Amino acid sequence: ALYWWRFAAGAGDPLAAHLLAAHHAAVGITPDARLWRAMARMLGFTRDRHLPQPVRAATDLAEGFAATVPWGSELSAFMTTSRLPRELVTR
């Protein structure tokens, strides 16, 4: 991912520069994080414009998805139920 983020940031992509800044900050390379943060700002990075927004509040399974995939009945039931099976619930 770092290669492609550098490639995209070098081509002027503000989100890629922001992602490089976040990565370098997370791994502790402070000078590189500062450099990429400055680059992201110079390229016009803003949270409102560049960070992904959820398409919808709920994650619903596509209608008929589990029915069209050739899975066993257990997996089809798991994909279509709204609650986790008792065995998967942590106590």
Side-chain angles (χ1 to χ4, degrees), residues 3-17 20 36 39 43:
Y3 171 82
W4 291 111
W5 288 340
R6 286 185 194 116
F7 184 83
D13 186 275
L15 179 57
L20 282 167
W36 284 113
M39 288 297 295
L43 293 171

Side-chain angles (χ1 to χ4, degrees), residues 18-34 36-37:
H18 171 75
L19 292 171
L20 282 167
H23 167 75
H24 288 304
V27 296
I29 308 172
T30 306
D32 288 354
R34 288 181 184 153
W36 284 113
R37 181 64 188 133

Side-chain angles (χ1 to χ4, degrees), residues 6-73:
R6 286 185 194 116
F7 184 83
D13 186 275
L15 179 57
H18 171 75
L19 292 171
L20 282 167
H23 167 75
H24 288 304
V27 296
I29 308 172
T30 306
D32 288 354
R34 288 181 184 153
L35 171 93
W36 284 113
R37 181 64 188 133
M39 288 297 295
R41 286 181 180 158
M42 287 190 325
L43 293 171
F45 174 82
T46 63
R47 285 181 169 199
D48 297 336
R49 207 169 93 209
H50 294 100
L51 292 184
Q53 301 296 320
V55 176
R56 56 183 165 203
T59 55
D60 298 322
L61 188 63
E63 189 174 326
F65 175 75
T68 60
V69 179
W71 293 331
S73 61

